[in-house]
Amino acid sequence: MSNPQTISNAVANLYNTYPFPPEPLLDEPPPGYNWRWHWTSAYNFCTGEKPTHQDIRILDAGCGTGVGTEYLVHLNPEASVVGIDLSPGPLEVARERCQRSGAARVEFHHLSLFDVEQIPGEFDLINCVGVLHHTPDPIGGIKALAKKLAPGGLLHVFVYGELGRWEIQLMQKAIALLQGDKRGDYRDGVNVGRQVFASLPENNRLVQYEKRRWGMENMRDECFADMYVHPQEIDYNVETVFELIDASGLDFVGFSNSGFWDIERLLGKAPELIERAKSFSERQLYRLIELLDPEISHYEFFLSRPPLTRNTWSDNAALMETIPERHPCMEGWPGKSIFNYDYQVVKLSDAEFEFLQACDAKSTVAEILTNVQLDLDEIRKIQQKQLIILSK
Ligand SMILES: C[S@@+](CC[C@H](N)C(=O)[O-])C[C@H]1O[C@@H](n2cnc3c(N)ncnc32)[C@H](O)[C@@H]1O
């Protein structure tokens, strides 16, 4: 199946049969947050400062049943949001989802991302999660999206990784073999796959991996089908994912699951090896990390269209004058043990707690520091931990 149109038709058939993701529809805004869909948080993560405007345009490319789109609307109250998808079935669910939860500032189009130029204008934030690796031409797809990104805009991409999907690939191939000329009948594929899992011994590697990593979500046929009977999937490694990134013509800003890409967590007990890795390029370092932790099943990252600069707040005078705001995505506040923007537990010192309490969106850093015992380097650390957002 190499004809692009044949592939796209097969992909649309899968998602019309099993719209994804199968999250329930609610009559209220969805619970919690995902900072990657919150413009201020995403921009702050990428640049170290608050964006200057909120009345932005957002594109959800390959929006599926609109789970992410709905968050994009609710989390960005001044933004206008557009969702596009190849498959009419999921789009219908996305429309109903947003209508039911009051997410009115959105329009949906039945459109392939390869035809995105048909939508006028540019976007400040483009979200493309779980889509490019299911297209016949991910490089063509990312280039089409890159053209629609405004200067200073952000593109958030999620694509699959091959190392952590090794067992999935084996099962996909086994199901395809067993399906024979019934391939393309996705209900049959799910039925075959479920029978295989039920029949394999408990200690079988594919069974164990499925149970440990995906068992819960794959109880739903939509998720099982998306994982095991997909007609088109391209899995990446660090080398090939950077070929995709380079082809986009955009700048790589960083992985949005940055904790995973910290070599200290793997070689922290071997300082000599950390020292050797210091001479590595960024990409070599990432390759080393994924070789040492091959559980990686996806890459998620931000790209930008220049100009987009990173503010490290090294200028003391500028830091003293800025008005700090507490990060909007945190839970458990006020408290000294909180969940940060990324749902990680952070324990605050007494002084950090006092500083955050004094962030009233009116007082400058200089004013707050007249009452709180912290120095500017400690403020920078609070900023780097993304507990506060600073404006230029
Ligand atoms: C795994 S789902 C992801 C849905 C959503 N982005 C999410 O993460 O919840 C993939 C979606 O991409 C859509 N898709 C695949 N190829 C596409 C294309 N060329 N243009 C637009 N959408 C596409 C599919 O129809 C499907 O709804």
Side-chain angles (χ1 to χ4, degrees), residues 240-290:
T240 53
V241 89
F242 273 99
E243 285 169 17
L244 179 73
I245 290 168
D246 289 343
S248 74
L250 302 174
D251 288 349
F252 177 71
V253 182
F255 289 111
S256 58
N257 56 344
S258 51
F260 180 88
W261 298 101
D262 178 6
I263 190 68
E264 283 284 338
R265 105 191 143 77
L266 299 167
L267 295 182
K269 291 185 194 145
E272 192 209 315
L273 300 183
I274 296 267
E275 205 46 45
R276 288 187 194 207
K278 284 206 172 122
S279 63
F280 285 14
S281 68
E282 190 184 39
R283 292 173 192 200
Q284 283 174 318
L285 186 65
Y286 293 149
R287 180 66 179 151
L288 177 66
I289 291 169
E290 75 169 5

Side-chain angles (χ1 to χ4, degrees), residues 8 11-12 15-16 19-21 37 60-69 84-88 90-91 111-115 127-136 158 160 226 230:
S8 294
V11 170
Y15 288 113
N16 287 333
F20 186 94
W37 296 328
D60 196 7
C63 59
T65 64
V67 172
T69 329
I84 61 170
D85 203 281
L86 178 73
S87 320
L91 265 181
L111 191 70
S112 167
L113 58 84
F114 293 98
D115 299 322
N127 184 54
C128 189
V129 168
V131 184
L132 287 169
H133 51 229
H134 291 318
T135 69
F158 171 115
Y160 286 151
D226 186 57
H230 212 292

Side-chain angles (χ1 to χ4, degrees), residues 36-180:
R36 295 161 186 81
W37 296 328
H38 181 249
W39 171 239
T40 300
S41 305
Y43 192 88
N44 180 62
F45 177 86
C46 293
T47 66
E49 62 189 33
K50 189 176 172 178
T52 52
H53 58 296
Q54 295 289 332
D55 53 340
I56 57 160
R57 291 189 80 209
I58 302 178
L59 173 68
D60 196 7
C63 59
T65 64
V67 172
T69 329
E70 186 186 39
Y71 274 99
L72 286 164
V73 177
H74 285 292
L75 293 178
N76 301 288
E78 291 179 44
S80 62
V81 181
V82 176
I84 61 170
D85 203 281
L86 178 73
S87 320
L91 265 181
E92 223 171 277
V93 180
R95 282 197 182 96
E96 192 188 340
R97 182 189 302 285
C98 287
Q99 199 238 327
R100 278 177 61 166
S101 77
R105 272 170 298 102
V106 61
E107 54 184 71
F108 288 104
H109 300 281
H110 178 209
L111 191 70
S112 167
L113 58 84
F114 293 98
D115 299 322
V116 67
E117 82 274 0
Q118 290 179 21
I119 299 178
E122 294 174 324
F123 294 90
D124 305 281
L125 177 62
I126 300 180
N127 184 54
C128 189
V129 168
V131 184
L132 287 169
H133 51 229
H134 291 318
T135 69
D137 176 17
I139 286 188
I142 204 167
K143 281 183 171 169
L145 294 176
K147 274 195 202 148
K148 297 304 282 182
L149 194 62
L154 300 173
L155 167 58
H156 185 238
V157 174
F158 171 115
V159 287
Y160 286 151
E162 64 185 16
L163 297 174
R165 292 180 68 82
W166 188 75
E167 288 88 345
I168 296 172
Q169 286 176 6
L170 297 183
M171 183 56 106
Q172 287 170 341
K173 287 175 190 159
I175 294 172
L177 263 179
L178 284 164
Q179 276 201 285

Side-chain angles (χ1 to χ4, degrees), residues 243-385:
E243 285 169 17
L244 179 73
I245 290 168
D246 289 343
S248 74
L250 302 174
D251 288 349
F252 177 71
V253 182
F255 289 111
S256 58
N257 56 344
S258 51
F260 180 88
W261 298 101
D262 178 6
I263 190 68
E264 283 284 338
R265 105 191 143 77
L266 299 167
L267 295 182
K269 291 185 194 145
E272 192 209 315
L273 300 183
I274 296 267
E275 205 46 45
R276 288 187 194 207
K278 284 206 172 122
S279 63
F280 285 14
S281 68
E282 190 184 39
R283 292 173 192 200
Q284 283 174 318
L285 186 65
Y286 293 149
R287 180 66 179 151
L288 177 66
I289 291 169
E290 75 169 5
L291 290 172
L292 295 176
D293 190 358
E295 288 278 308
I296 179 151
S297 59
H298 73 268
Y299 303 92
E300 49 177 306
F301 50 87
F302 282 104
L303 306 180
S304 74
R305 173 173 295 291
L308 190 85
T309 49
R310 185 156 192 89
N311 192 342
T312 56
W313 298 94
S314 53
D315 178 342
N316 286 349
L319 183 55
M320 289 291 260
E321 277 163 32
T322 186
I323 295 175
E325 293 171 38
R326 274 191 305 277
H327 200 290
C329 303
M330 61 165 79
E331 269 180 24
W333 179 263
K336 287 187 187 162
S337 181
I338 54 172
F339 287 105
N340 72 1
Y341 73 109
D342 212 19
Y343 285 105
Q344 302 297 312
V345 176
V346 176
K347 300 216 183 295
L348 302 172
S349 68
D350 289 346
E352 286 172 333
F353 178 75
E354 278 170 39
F355 183 87
L356 287 185
Q357 255 191 332
C359 291
D360 55 7
K362 287 188 290 229
S363 312
T364 63
V365 167
E367 284 163 348
I368 297 174
L369 289 187
T370 56
N371 295 317
V372 178
Q373 294 301 306
L374 285 175
D375 63 31
L376 288 182
D377 279 341
E378 288 166 317
I379 303 297
R380 286 187 189 98
K381 280 194 192 130
I382 297 177
Q383 189 267 333
Q384 282 153 15
K385 285 195 262 178

